[in-house]
Amino acid sequence: TQLLEQSPQFLSIQEGENLTVYCNSSSVFSSLQWYRQEPGEGPVLLVTVVTGGEVKKLKRLTFQFGDARKDSSLHITAAQPGDTGLYLCAGHDNYGQNFVFGPGTRLSVLP
Amino acid sequence: EADIYQTPRYLVIGTGKKITLECSQTMGHDKMYWYQQDPGMELHLIHYSYGVNSTEKGDLSSESTVSRIRTEHFPLTLESARPSHTSQYLCASRGRPYNEQFFGPGTRLTVL
């Protein structure tokens, strides 16, 4: 069974600050996804990273996939209250059979 | 943009009632999933399907059942609801080529 770990578990910052959250595993993933979930809603897919070393940008969000495809990071520049939510990483193993979720990082951006 | 829908969004019912939570997707995805999630807690897989007439139980034991008669439709049924079934139920389908899962908005179930 492959596990995804996320850190930090909770993060509370002021509007305008930068932050990075991490997703780590001891196993190789064929792809990793990042989701944001707001209370009472389903997770919304933000990005999929596939290639080791890949960097993708989505406005103020920058996603990176580790060279060995075992870890990923999400960096938010100049955080805004609208970024508040639960950030989940998830991915499939190399065989494409098991899809696993990390426990999430709960981000709160205060105005 | 994912096209996956769940109804109802909210449901409050009494103990012992039979309910069906609807999930449909218009993307032609073969693989579909049901998750259960309590507030502030992790997602737990309760059912999945790899295609028409295929259903499997997930990691978390659930008293619910599912069916997959059509590719686009994956309903979940509780024959006799109990307060312990109170939770959020999320439906998802799996895309190609990167196998990412697309989620519906969820059904928030409260059993009194």
Side-chain angles (χ1 to χ4, degrees):
Chain A
T1 301
Q2 299 175 69
L3 294 177
L4 283 168
E5 299 176 347
Q6 290 189 244
S7 61
Q9 188 177 358
F10 300 96
L11 185 58
S12 181
I13 61 171
Q14 293 294 132
E15 182 176 2
E17 292 183 8
N18 301 331
L19 67 115
T20 302
V21 298
Y22 300 93
C23 175
N24 297 288
S25 176
S26 58
S27 302
V28 176
F29 282 81
S30 59
S31 65
L32 272 180
Q33 286 78 42
W34 283 92
Y35 296 84
R36 180 171 65 224
Q37 185 180 22
E38 298 186 21
E41 301 290 330
V44 175
L45 179 66
L46 297 174
V47 78
T48 296
V49 287
V50 179
T51 306
E54 182 178 7
V55 177
K56 282 191 173 179
K57 293 194 175 186
L58 183 66
K59 297 183 180 178
R60 293 176 294 102
L61 278 60
T62 302
F63 304 86
Q64 187 162 5
F65 201 13
D67 291 340
R69 292 185 289 137
K70 293 183 178 181
D71 56 88
S72 182
S73 64
L74 159 59
H75 181 80
I76 302 179
T77 303
Q80 298 176 1
D83 296 327
T84 293
L86 177 67
Y87 288 82
L88 296 161
C89 68
H92 265 101
D93 62 22
N94 265 336
Y95 302 99
Q97 294 301 313
N98 297 315
F99 191 81
V100 295
F101 281 91
T105 292
R106 196 166 295 280
L107 172 66
S108 178
V109 182
L110 306 173
Chain B
E1 188 75 20
D3 295 317
I4 181 163
Y5 309 97
Q6 290 187 245
T7 58
R9 287 296 316 277
Y10 305 94
L11 182 61
V12 181
I13 59 168
T15 296
K17 299 291 186 183
K18 176 181 178 179
I19 61 164
T20 296
L21 308 184
E22 301 289 347
C23 175
S24 60
Q25 49 95 7
T26 58
M27 298 171 283
H29 292 165
D30 290 323
K31 298 177 175 65
M32 296 187 72
Y33 306 81
W34 276 102
Y35 292 86
Q36 186 173 340
Q37 185 183 34
D38 292 327
M41 304 299 286
E42 297 180 28
L43 291 155
H44 293 285
L45 181 67
I46 53 175
H47 297 285
Y48 60 98
S49 167
Y50 283 165
V52 171
N53 294 325
S54 153
T55 61
E56 302 287 345
K57 289 188 178 295
D59 304 324
L60 181 68
S61 176
S62 173
E63 294 167 344
S64 58
T65 59
V66 292
S67 62
R68 190 86 182 278
I69 299 173
R70 303 198 314 267
T71 297
E72 63 272 20
H73 195 214
F74 190 38
L76 180 147
T77 298
L78 276 167
E79 290 292 333
S80 180
R82 295 206 300 269
S84 60
H85 296 139
T86 294
S87 189
Q88 172 148 333
Y89 293 84
L90 292 160
C91 179
S93 70
R94 180 167 147 180
R96 292 181 294 270
Y98 302 122
N99 298 313
E100 60 271 76
Q101 293 198 5
F102 296 96
F103 285 84
T107 293
R108 180 86 201 149
L109 173 66
T110 302
V111 183
L112 303 175

